[in-house]
Amino acid sequence: MRRAIYPGSFDPVTLGHLDIIKRAAAIFDELIVCVSVNSAKSSGLFSPEERVELIRQVTEDLPNVKVDCSRELVADYARRSRSRVLVKGLRAVSDYESEIQMAMINAKLYPKLDTVFLYTRPKYAYLSSTVVKELARYGADLSDFVPRQIIERVRSKVAQSGQDYL
Ligand code: ADP
């Protein structure tokens, strides 16, 4: 079985992430979307468990997609879950440099692991979770940016959190 992992912060999941999830799920037999808790980043807007819940909500119609959360290195998580492929999305040349470096580090840590890059759809090229949080803070319409099922959750969480997540 070809199993792949799509790791990221997903704080929160956006339409850009969801597009990569759908395309990767069509290529692999099973896709694990893994919320990776990165010690170098701030604690974020949503807790890792809430991010998992939001991704589950927007992928419930994709039977070969599983959602998980990990506090370990992605390479260790991949080894443990017997997967040899990581999926990453590329938006711009600026993503490329850091993603290639990360791919090489992961292959060094777990030589059987390879990273596959999917290019972003041009309509999502500007989209990131940071942009979503910024727009939500100003009360902008989020319907072009996050799946409609989670718009209200994002809105109310941003309103509750003030600027703590920045
Ligand atoms: P961000 O906070 O910048 O959205 P994440 O860590 O949540 O970043 O992203 C996880 C993965 O999804 C990364 O490989 C990232 O390049 C990719 N990704 C994020 N947004 C998009 C998008 N709009 N289109 C394609 N890939 C994306």
Side-chain angles (χ1 to χ4, degrees):
M1 182 166 83
R2 288 170 307 160
R3 176 184 290 135
I5 298 169
Y6 177 32
S9 314
F10 306 106
D11 184 35
V13 63
T14 68
L15 287 174
H17 293 132
L18 187 58
D19 179 61
I20 299 287
I21 292 171
K22 286 180 178 165
R23 287 157 62 199
I27 296 171
F28 296 98
D29 297 316
E30 184 176 284
L31 181 73
I32 306 175
V33 182
C34 181
V35 174
S36 299
V37 182
N38 181 342
S39 52
K41 283 196 180 174
S42 71
S43 59
L45 176 62
F46 289 98
S47 71
E49 292 70 26
E50 287 170 326
R51 298 179 209 177
V52 166
E53 196 193 310
L54 293 176
I55 303 168
R56 287 212 174 110
Q57 213 179 322
V58 303
T59 58
E60 61 183 7
D61 57 339
L62 300 169
N64 64 335
V65 172
K66 292 191 172 157
V67 191
D68 198 4
C69 172
S70 165
R71 287 176 167 77
E72 63 198 315
L73 284 171
V74 170
D76 292 335
Y77 179 83
R79 190 186 280 112
R80 204 166 50 74
S81 51
R82 283 191 243 107
S83 172
R84 294 180 176 184
V85 182
L86 293 182
V87 171
K88 289 304 200 80
L90 285 182
R91 280 162 292 195
V93 180
S94 50
D95 274 346
Y96 179 84
E97 237 178 281
S98 58
E99 290 292 356
I100 288 286
Q101 185 188 24
M102 197 86 79
M104 290 176 182
I105 294 170
N106 283 325
K108 169 88 181 145
L109 295 172
Y110 177 21
K112 287 178 181 159
L113 188 61
D114 219 329
T115 302
V116 166
F117 295 99
L118 292 179
Y119 65 90
T120 184
R121 297 279 183 220
K123 62 179 174 181
Y124 300 131
Y126 56 85
L127 188 50
S128 69
S129 299
T130 306
V131 163
V132 166
K133 287 179 272 196
E134 196 65 9
L135 291 174
R137 206 149 66 87
Y138 289 97
D141 177 6
L142 297 182
S143 52
D144 284 339
F145 310 115
V146 296
R148 58 178 168 67
Q149 305 95 302
I150 69 166
I151 290 177
E152 266 327 298
R153 278 290 293 282
V154 174
R155 233 182 237 312
S156 56
K157 188 75 172 183
V158 164
Q160 276 168 29
S161 309
Q163 297 189 16
D164 291 351
Y165 56 89
L166 294 174

